[in-house]
Amino acid sequence: MRSRDTNGNNYSFELFPPKTAEGMEKLVDTVERLNAVGPRYFSVTYGAGGSTRERTFETVSLLRRQGIDTAPHLSCIGSSRTEVLDILRHYREQDIHRIVALRGDLPSGMGAVTTGELRYANELVTFIREETGDAFHIEVAAYPEVHPQAPSAMRDLESFKRKVDAGADAAITQYFYNADAYFSFLDACERLDIRIPIVPGVMPITNYSRLARFSDACGAEIPRWVRKRLEGYGDDIESIREFGHQVVLGLCRRLIDQGAPGIHFYTMNQAAPTLRLWRDLGL
Ligand SMILES: Cc1cc2nc3c(=O)[nH]c(=O)nc-3n(C[C@H](O)[C@H](O)[C@H](O)COP(=O)(O)OP(=O)(O)OC[C@H]3O[C@@H](n4cnc5c(N)ncnc54)[C@H](O)[C@@H]3O)c2cc1C
């Protein structure tokens, strides 16, 4: 029987692998501060097509050396089965039991979206189960505001169900600022008899232009009133941070009050914004 995180501490922190030695040094301190509050696990992103492979490995090793429960992300697009298997073997050697399984998005210039032997995340989940049985707790991505390439919300939901049927244990959502989208997504999942925990992904707001760029790319909607307020602050970083904190704190409170099974924080490798939310939520 696979482990199913249906209760208990489902609060996790996401990191990305730094590009420079200096960034890696800074990350040591960030990890220490974040780990001090006792999250369930840390996840580490992975550039599709293997573009961050070594840096992801290095970041994962940094966490494992401290005995931290670590969930490396693994995307299949642009990779062969042999490459995926190599990575899984590498993680098993490091006593890792958790994977975030994704299709990924190839950086522009690296080829078409269907490149590679495994085309979609459901195929990756099936492959991991076939090759490694229950060795990994598998998380997959979910999109309460619909994946940007999906032809319809229903088709996207069917794609999500395929990943669950292939053996995913839990899901983490794309970040969103409309709590209604999340709860409506949960209702739709229930109607399709999808029973795994679907943990909301939460992105602290600290920088408006970066957030607007990310959100356009990944299909996350910034509500008009939030966008207008953030725009209005211009270069006033302090006001952006303060307002952003209050917006995200309100979102997290509603998610928790209405029964979300936990929260996955997209930390962007910064400890302070996530720790402030953690403290104000009384986690
Ligand atoms: C929590 C989280 C973590 C992430 N981490 C990373 C990361 O580390 N690295 C990275 O590169 N990206 C990451 N991403 C981004 C993600 O890779 C992209 O959103 C990508 O476009 C889709 O990945 P997926 O696993 O959701 O794909 P899939 O579930 O395969 O879905 C992709 C699209 O194809 C459709 N689809 C799915 N299956 C089928 C099928 N069998 N036939 C036809 N259509 C289908 C879906 O509806 C959707 O539109 C992350 C996203 C989330 C939410």
Side-chain angles (χ1 to χ4, degrees), residues 2-127:
R2 275 174 214 137
S3 62
R4 296 200 183 260
D5 288 350
T6 43
N7 49 40
N9 171 1
N10 244 327
Y11 292 86
S12 48
F13 296 147
E14 181 171 310
L15 305 172
F16 62 84
K19 281 201 173 91
T20 60
E22 195 190 349
M24 191 59 88
E25 243 170 65
K26 248 184 85 191
L27 193 66
V28 173
D29 175 61
T30 303
V31 167
E32 194 181 320
R33 291 173 62 201
L34 287 170
N35 194 39
V37 300
R40 175 70 174 270
Y41 67 92
F42 282 68
S43 82
V44 182
T45 64
Y46 181 80
S51 55
T52 68
R53 189 184 137 117
E54 295 313 315
R55 288 190 280 122
T56 297
F57 282 2
E58 205 184 322
T59 309
V60 167
S61 296
L62 167 87
L63 295 162
R64 291 301 298 137
R65 281 198 297 275
Q66 298 176 53
I68 294 173
D69 191 355
T70 308
H73 295 205
L74 175 54
S75 55
C76 59
I77 195 161
S79 298
S80 66
R81 285 189 171 81
T82 311
E83 282 163 338
V84 169
L85 210 48
D86 261 5
I87 294 173
L88 292 171
R89 198 172 301 125
H90 174 82
Y91 288 144
R92 286 186 74 173
E93 281 166 13
Q94 289 191 292
D95 204 22
I96 285 169
H97 301 285
R98 201 184 273 274
I99 284 277
V100 183
L102 303 144
R103 183 197 73 180
D105 289 313
L106 282 183
S108 53
M110 269 188 82
V113 111
T114 47
T115 315
E117 293 175 3
L118 301 161
R119 294 167 311 155
Y120 294 105
N122 68 299
E123 296 173 10
L124 175 62
V125 175
T126 300
F127 182 68

Side-chain angles (χ1 to χ4, degrees), residues 39 60 85 94 147 154 171 246 270:
V60 167
L85 210 48
Q94 289 191 292
H147 185 267
M154 199 33 153
Q246 295 307 329
Q270 293 177 37

Side-chain angles (χ1 to χ4, degrees), residues 143-191:
Y143 300 86
E145 293 183 320
V146 185
H147 185 267
Q149 288 157 3
S152 70
M154 199 33 153
R155 293 278 290 281
D156 204 29
L157 200 58
E158 287 163 5
S159 295
F160 179 58
K161 186 168 165 50
R162 267 195 293 272
K163 298 194 271 196
V164 177
D165 292 344
D169 293 295
I172 303 168
T173 76
Q174 182 59 275
Y175 71 86
F176 56 84
Y177 297 102
N178 295 308
D180 287 339
Y182 171 74
F183 289 112
S184 165
F185 182 74
L186 292 193
D187 290 346
C189 287
E190 212 172 301
R191 285 196 291 276

Side-chain angles (χ1 to χ4, degrees), residues 238-252:
E238 272 319 300
S239 297
I240 290 175
R241 288 198 181 142
E242 187 51 39
F243 174 70
H245 175 72
Q246 295 307 329
V247 168
V248 177
L249 183 62
L251 171 69
C252 292

